[in-house]
């Protein structure tokens, strides 16, 4: 069973748990990495894609952790520097203009492109590199009107299928569709040999007429596109790895200025981490939260959260991500300010739109799902404590909330222990006539991991009694997974 | 899995649960039925026999239930009515006098016996009946001095062993030894063929010079005597059934008056029930309790009760027994008075020698073991509620305590449910770093039985929501015993 590496003192700006092994963007419930915001959209509880703050924060923490653990290395090559790299659409009646110059102020070599706007036009394009370990395409551009677009062409090797990924300024109110097939329903792609399919992502119209940096993971975009066709089942979720596709070309249409430095990279960890942190800063509400725009019901709809609910797990993850962003970009105070503002909801009761429950009216708990009565999900609470501790060195209020949470954990932890495994939440305590919601083994493993994690924090704090309690409890829980049982009387 | 018969309305003076199937006096931890008090003495937590109020109340409730369920039938025969039934010791130098007369006032036929006091003298005796279904010997007598005694002779058929049971006024401060071998250690009885062993029980010197009714179950007395020899293991506990022994004779020594109406009976249920109720009345302390005179430790001595502790289970059982005694003997107010006085400790905190714990400072619980911190044993609490309800029709305070207990039960019941079984107590909640103390299956069965029992009470009270809650929880728990598990997430 996985446990955190034994590193003390605990580093609040280190990799986040084992999130570097995550691949949020490959989850079946992620519709796509949005072309406007560069963060994932979820379809977990609603078929219409929406922004799920926990998922976005996890995406950011994952890429932060990968970035740290790869020691910020990123193999990349630069394309399009030479004018001759830029091709015009072949054999078509429309004209494609390419104008090359060097900007006096920035010193950048720039190409101005003017091409027929229609998606059937290949526009002005360069060939991408065949190196299979470089699936990220990045460039600096200025689309000069809303009819501008760019297209990445990739080839799915096994299916011999050409895939066009079109990135457009589409007016579906903020890119709500995330990614869609251009030809309607293309449910049955895989058997189609020597074919071609076309998908679109929408971009943020606010960047029109501005210089903007684009970074797309083509592996991810192709996989989410192929997963987005109608009639697909969860088990049809497409996950692609380096070598499954080959990048072919990158083309532009409409009126576009472009720095002649297209990069093809091994990863986009720092970009993705920053995108997630920026999304959080931009989308924090006046309560300091990131509300979830879809209904969430648990316990056979005995507990229902109307759209607009907050989650302690979202607040905690957000704080963990924002405090790391503050560490990387200390000159920009917005991350720290947002992290501090995120503490407010820890003191607002669930009944008032907050995330705070009080067990038996006295033991404070930060609710992943702030239902009434409380549901007391363990893993979400533990993540919220980690968030609070991550900010605690910068904010005394955060330390105070963390310590009150630790006190609650000491008191309520026994209720999750069945002597043979663990319970996911305490819904059965306040809903009458409900069996305990046993944690399946992968959640049991999460409980163990998080408890060991918090044990380590307590050790770093010199709280050795808490360390012993949490560590030994985790050890006992590991025993359960290995078939041990608590003694009976 | 055994559940209570579905009888509503609930009868507070009916048989007590399935206690009519109990045989408290056959338990290995019962040293003997004391010759002075006619109630069991325990060696469960101390090798020196002591009075354990829970055991005494269970003994009383068992016999009350058997008495009711046998519809008060008791087959018996009368012996010793004729003067010629009474023999003198044969072939000895000492003289045995027998003087027969009829008491003018009572009309009783009486024999006055005067015989050599030494136990080696058979004294004046009658032969007992060979009928194997009549193991109880009963008579009315007046021992005229402390050197008087009587002896029952029985034969263990399989071992061809003669067993002498001597009942004497022994000065070991209240019969503390309960029963002992007269020849010291006779550890190795069974192989001894054609032999003879002798045991003594001590009687209450207070009855000297008074008329007193004696009732002994010879099967039980022989079994406890044979189980009391040194060096025996628990697994050597001797349990005898009708047919295992044959009653031979009943003889008297010293100066004794005796009614010429020795009875041999099938059972002594009413006598035993009344003896237990009387013991409770006589031994209730000024707090209304029956304290336990030995130390009790649980959870590897993390929780220790010093001698003198009270138990909610003792209080509850005592109330159940006393309220039944009040029903049978309504003219004698002492039983009802003692039952009411037994309520006092339900309001005294464990920390002050009482039995009341408060979970999280607010949910009242009546403690089988009033440890600090609380241990919240489930079965003892449920028994205490049954006691409170048994008195509730006669006392509003008892009803109030019962209702507060039901409210607590609703709130804490979920904590005992592991989704695959039940937990015996909540020691793990307040002791740090302790695994839950899982209930072994026979205690799980007790939980089910008691919960169904209380469900039935709630149904009778018209509390259908509580009935549903407790009944369905019990049904789910029955499922666990049949291999069902709660769902995991
Ligand atoms: Ca969760
Ligand atoms: Ca018990």
């Amino acid at each position: 069973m996985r446990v955190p590496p034994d590193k003390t003192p605990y580093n609040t700006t280190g990799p986040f748990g084992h999130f570097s092994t995550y691949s949020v963007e490959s989850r079946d419930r992620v519709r796509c990495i949005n072309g406007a915001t560069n963060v994932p959209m979820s379809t977990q509880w609603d078929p219409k894609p929406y922004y799920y703050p926990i998922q976005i924060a996890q995406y950011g923490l994952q890429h932060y952790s990968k970035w740290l653990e790869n020691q910020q290395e990123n193999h990349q090559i630069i394309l399009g520097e030479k004018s001759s790299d830029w091709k015009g659409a072949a054999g078509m009646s429309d004209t494609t203009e390419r104008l090359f110059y060097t900007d006096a102020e920035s010193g950048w070599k720039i190409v101005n492109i003017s091409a027929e706007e229609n998606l059937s036009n290949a526009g002005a394009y360069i060939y991408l590199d065949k190196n299979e370990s470089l699936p990220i395409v990045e460039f600096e551009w200025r689309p000069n009107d809303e009819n501008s677009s760019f297209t990445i062409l990739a080839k799915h090797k096994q299916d011999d299928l050409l895939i066009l990924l079109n990135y457009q300024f589409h007016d579906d109110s903020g890119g709500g569709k995330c990614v869609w097939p251009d030809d309607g329903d293309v449910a049955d792609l895989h058997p189609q040999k020597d074919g071609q399919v076309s998908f679109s992502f929408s971009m943020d119209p606010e960047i029109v007429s501005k210089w903007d940096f684009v970074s797309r993971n083509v592996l991810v975009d192709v996989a989410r596109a192929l997963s987005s066709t109608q009639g697909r089942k969860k088990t049809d979720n497409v996950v692609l790895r380096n070598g499954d596709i080959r990048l072919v070309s990158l083309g532009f249409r409409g009126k576009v200025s472009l720095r002649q430095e297209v990069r093809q990279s091994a990863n986009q960890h720092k970009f993705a981490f920053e995108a997630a942190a920026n999304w959080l800063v931009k989308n924090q509400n006046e309560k300091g939260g990131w509300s979830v725009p879809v209904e969430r019901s648990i316990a056979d709809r005995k507990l229902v959260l109307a759209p607009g609910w907050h989650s302690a797990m979202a607040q905690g993850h957000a704080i963990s991500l924002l405090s790391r962003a503050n560490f990387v970009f200390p000159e920009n105070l917005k991350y720290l300010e947002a992290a501090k503002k995120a503490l407010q909801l820890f003191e607002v009761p669930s009944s008032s739109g907050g995330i705070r429950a009080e067990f038996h009216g006295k033991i404070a708990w930060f609710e992943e799902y702030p239902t009434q009565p409380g549901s007391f999900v363990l893993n979400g609470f533990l993540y919220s404590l980690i968030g609070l501790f991550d900010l605690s060195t910068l904010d005394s209020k955060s330390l105070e909330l963390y310590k009150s949470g630790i006190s609650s954990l000491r008191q309520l932890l026994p209720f999750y222990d069945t002597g043979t495994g663990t319970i996911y939440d305490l819904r059965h305590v306040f809903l009458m006539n409900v069996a305990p919601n046993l944690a399946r083994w992968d959640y049991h493993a999460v409980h163990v991991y998080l408890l060991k994690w918090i044990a380590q924090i307590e050790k770093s704090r010199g709280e050795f009694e808490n360390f012993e309690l949490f560590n030994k409890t985790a050890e006992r829980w590991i025993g359960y997974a290995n078939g041990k049982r608590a003694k009976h009387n």
Side-chain angles (χ1 to χ4, degrees), chain A residues 313 368-369 377 379-380 383 424 443:
Chain A
M313 188 155 162
E368 178 171 350
Y369 302 116
V377 172
N379 80 82
Y383 276 124
Y424 181 79
Y443 270 112

Side-chain angles (χ1 to χ4, degrees), chain A residues 12-13 388-396 398-399:
Chain A
T12 57
T13 55
L388 290 170
F389 188 71
D390 283 346
L391 186 59
S392 68
T393 50
L394 302 173
D395 188 280
S396 63
S398 202
L399 180 61

Side-chain angles (χ1 to χ4, degrees), chain A residues 141-332:
Chain A
W141 77 329
R142 185 179 63 199
N144 287 309
D145 64 44
E146 293 201 5
N147 295 315
S148 304
S149 67
F150 70 92
T151 292
I152 295 169
L153 182 61
K155 182 158 188 162
H156 189 288
K157 285 156 68 177
Q158 202 189 337
D159 291 358
D160 201 13
L161 182 71
L162 275 178
I163 296 141
L164 286 93
L165 303 174
N166 306 307
Y167 302 82
Q168 337 174 25
F169 297 101
H170 192 267
D171 64 348
D172 70 341
S173 59
K177 291 202 289 183
C178 210
V179 59
W180 64 95
D182 292 310
D183 308 314
D185 185 9
V186 282
D188 202 22
L189 290 173
H190 280 221
Q192 183 178 346
K193 293 283 174 190
D194 302 312
Q196 174 177 313
V197 283
S198 177
F199 297 92
S200 282
F201 292 75
S202 58
M203 295 182 291
D204 183 1
E206 290 219 346
I207 67 166
V208 168
S209 305
K210 294 173 189 143
W211 280 96
D212 187 58
F213 181 72
V214 170
S215 174
R216 302 302 304 182
N217 184 327
V218 183
L219 268 181
V220 171
D221 284 352
V222 169
R224 295 340 296 157
L226 292 177
S227 298
S228 73
T229 54
Q230 281 181 29
R232 298 191 74 89
K233 295 175 194 135
K234 274 194 175 183
T235 48
D236 292 333
N237 185 42
V238 177
V239 179
L240 297 175
R241 287 171 194 82
N242 281 342
D244 290 342
I245 62 170
R246 186 167 65 74
L247 274 55
V248 178
S249 66
L250 165 67
F252 294 84
R253 295 177 209 87
K255 295 198 186 319
V256 164
S257 300
L258 185 85
R259 187 174 178 189
Q260 276 176 265
E261 216 182 280
V262 172
R263 278 178 277 170
Q264 219 178 308
S265 309
N267 71 62
Q268 58 174 177
H269 297 323
K270 195 181 180 196
F271 176 84
F273 145 61
E274 201 178 344
N278 286 337
W279 185 92
L280 290 171
V281 168
K282 196 169 174 188
N283 291 277
Q284 188 172 35
N285 62 30
E286 73 290 348
K287 290 177 167 178
W290 296 270
S291 69
V292 182
V294 298
E295 180 190 270
R296 171 77 170 129
S297 73
I298 58 176
D300 301 324
R301 294 194 66 81
K302 287 191 185 77
L303 300 173
V304 180
L305 295 168
W309 54 280
H310 292 101
S311 170
M313 188 155 162
Q315 302 302 112
H317 273 354
I319 292 169
S320 289
L321 180 59
L322 290 167
S323 59
R324 282 166 173 77
N326 175 66
F327 172 71
V328 177
F329 309 107
E331 69 287 355
N332 195 334

Side-chain angles (χ1 to χ4, degrees), chain A residues 303-481:
Chain A
L303 300 173
V304 180
L305 295 168
W309 54 280
H310 292 101
S311 170
M313 188 155 162
Q315 302 302 112
H317 273 354
I319 292 169
S320 289
L321 180 59
L322 290 167
S323 59
R324 282 166 173 77
N326 175 66
F327 172 71
V328 177
F329 309 107
E331 69 287 355
N332 195 334
L333 291 177
K334 67 180 180 178
Y335 301 113
L336 184 59
E337 281 165 8
K340 289 183 176 187
K341 196 174 174 193
L343 297 174
Q344 290 175 21
L345 281 171
F346 286 84
E347 297 187 297
V348 179
S350 301
S351 54
S352 307
I355 59 173
R356 183 189 190 90
E358 292 187 342
F359 192 94
H360 285 164
K362 59 196 287 188
I363 302 173
W365 193 264
F366 310 129
E367 290 271 53
E368 178 171 350
Y369 302 116
T371 54
Q372 293 184 71
S375 40
F376 299 90
V377 172
L378 181 58
N379 80 82
F381 174 70
L382 296 177
Y383 276 124
S384 78
L385 293 188
I386 291 164
L388 290 170
F389 188 71
D390 283 346
L391 186 59
S392 68
T393 50
L394 302 173
D395 188 280
S396 63
K397 181 79 196 160
S398 202
L399 180 61
E400 186 189 303
L401 286 166
Y402 170 80
K403 291 199 291 194
S404 86
I406 290 293
S407 162
S408 300
L409 181 60
R410 287 174 57 99
Q411 294 175 77
L412 298 196
L413 194 57
F415 298 135
Y416 297 88
D417 190 329
T418 71
T420 59
T422 51
I423 304 178
Y424 181 79
D425 56 30
L426 299 184
R427 62 175 64 173
H428 63 298
V429 174
F430 298 103
L431 292 176
M432 289 287 124
N433 227 334
V434 164
N437 181 25
L438 301 179
R440 59 177 197 256
W441 287 117
D442 56 354
Y443 270 112
H444 182 70
V446 171
H447 291 162
V448 166
Y449 192 95
L450 288 170
L451 208 50
K452 283 259 181 185
W453 188 343
I454 288 174
Q456 227 174 75
I457 293 175
E458 288 301 285
K459 194 175 169 191
S460 285
R461 291 181 62 225
E463 295 287 346
F464 298 111
E465 191 195 317
N466 287 344
F467 166 71
E468 285 286 306
L469 171 61
F470 300 145
N471 196 54
K472 287 198 172 154
T473 301
E475 289 293 333
R476 189 168 68 243
W477 290 3
I478 290 171
Y480 298 160

